[in-house]
Each structure stands twice: as C-alpha cells, then as structure tokens.
C-alpha cells in the first residue's frame, strides 16, 4: 500500500528541500518567499486533509437521534394510538386518508434521513474547497513570478527599457529559476490530491482535477520557455 497512496510527510519534505535549493541559488529573489509559503501551506493542508478522513461524530449522533425519534413516533402512532381511535368502525374513507397521511409522513422521513446522511459529505466538501481556494491562489502567485522570465532577454540584441523588470542574465540560472517554478506547481498538484485521497466524493475529485490541470497547464508553459533556453 506504500506506493498506492500519497504520503503527506514525503510531500512536505520535498517542498522543504525545494525551499532550501531556491534559497541557496536565489537568496534575494521573491521566489524564495513563495517556496517558504508553499512549505507552510503544504503542512497546513496535509493536516486538514488528514482531519477530513475522520467521521463527523456529532453529525452522526444527530442522525442516530433523528432515526430513533422517528421510530418512536411511528411506534406511538401505530400502537398507542390505533387507527380505530381516529375513525369509527366501517369508516373506509377516513381509514384510507389516515393510511395516505402515514405514507406521506414515511416518505418525508426517508427523504429527511437521506438528506442527513449526505450532510456529512456537504460539510466536508465545503471545507475542501475552502482549502483548495488558497492553493489555487498560490498557483497564480507562482505563475506571476515566472511571467517576466523571458528567454528572449538572453539575446545580445535585446535592449531593456526604463521600466523593464530585473532580469536574470545567465541562461543556466534562468533555466533553473523556471525549473523551480515548475517543481512548485507539481507539488501543489500533489497537495490537492491529498484531499481526493481523504474524501471519497465525486465533486471533490473534480475540484482536485481542476487544480491539477491548472498547475499542469502553467507548468507546460514554463517548460516551453526552458526548451527555448536550451535551444539557444
């Protein structure tokens, strides 16, 4: 089972090593702060995903209490208050109406029970998407840091303007910077996958897939830049 599930501890360790590598090569770059934030977020989200594996016991207690209360009500109506007390002997119309009312109540009880059973899924789903929102924001922050890292600036004919951002002038350093961004995006996808692993819900899986697709698409754009650098 070791290689069939994601280990949150290993994901955190990978993020920590990446932060150290960024700090060693680009100690003054803003990317170092992003890497540190990725480590912090990976710890928080790994803990949140682990917590979501446990059942919501108080909610399950409410469901059990509701089922017991409903059973007692039907027992009271069916035994203590027999149908003869509500209608006289031979009153078929009122008897049918009573049975119809009982069936309606039974149907509503079943619908209410199913709604309570799905309440745990909805609560966990809401928590997951609240956590994924922060992860999605970090992905866009990573993308912003690679946005101005253009391989065209390595050309001898490139002339910066007065408002041009600070550039990395060495091809090897620029490629490494972009590679770090790609690795960060890959880690965000693995963090998101922890929630799909913890919560067995189709909506959660779709949300996690959206995060992974976003990270993969941005990483693909980064690798196009790296390819251009290697061709130069």
């Amino acid at each position: 089972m070791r290689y069939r599930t994601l280990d949150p501890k290993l994901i955190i360790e990978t993020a920590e090593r990446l932060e150290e590598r960024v700090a060693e090569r680009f100690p003054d770059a803003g990317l170092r702060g992003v890497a540190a934030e990725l480590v912090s977020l990976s710890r928080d989200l790994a803990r949140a995903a682990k917590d979501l594996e446990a059942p919501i016991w108080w909610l399950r207690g409410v469901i059990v209490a509701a089922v017991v209360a409903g059973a007692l009500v039907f027992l009271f109506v069916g035994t203590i208050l027999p149908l003869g007390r509500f209608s006289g002997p031979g009153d078929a119309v009122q008897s049918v109406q009573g049975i119809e009312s009982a069936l309606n109540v039974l149907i509503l009880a079943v619908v209410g029970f199913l709604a309570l059973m799905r309440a745990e899924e909805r609560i966990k789903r809401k928590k997951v998407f609240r956590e994924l929102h922060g992860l999605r924001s970090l992905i866009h922050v990573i993308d912003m840091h690679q946005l101005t890292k253009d391989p065209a600036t390595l050309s001898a004919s490139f002339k910066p303007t007065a408002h041009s951002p600070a550039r990395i002038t060495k091809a090897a350093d620029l490629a490494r910077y972009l590679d770090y961004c790609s690795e960060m995006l890959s880690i965000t996808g693995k963090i998101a996958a922890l929630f799909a692993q913890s919560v067995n819900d189709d909506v959660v899986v779709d949300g996690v897939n959206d995060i992974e697709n976003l990270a993969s698409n941005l990483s693909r754009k980064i690798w196009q830049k790296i390819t251009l650098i290697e061709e130069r």
Side-chain angles (χ1 to χ4, degrees), residues 100 120 132 140 144 169 185 193:
E100 182 181 2
E120 183 171 351
L132 291 181
H140 287 291
M144 287 295 296
T169 57
L185 292 173

Side-chain angles (χ1 to χ4, degrees), residues 30-31 34 138-151 153 165-168 174-185 215 217-226 229:
L31 191 66
V34 179
L138 182 61
I139 289 175
H140 287 291
V141 171
I142 296 172
D143 184 53
M144 287 295 296
H145 276 77
Q146 68 84 30
L147 197 61
T148 58
K149 304 305 182 287
D150 189 354
T153 60
R167 303 287 185 177
I168 298 177
L174 181 58
R176 182 56 55 194
Y177 187 100
L178 293 172
D179 185 50
Y180 288 156
C181 291
S182 179
E183 289 186 41
M184 288 184 191
L185 292 173
N217 291 336
L218 294 178
S219 181
R220 191 176 300 112
K221 181 173 64 175
I222 291 174
W223 273 100
Q224 290 176 351
K225 291 184 177 183
I226 295 176
I229 294 172

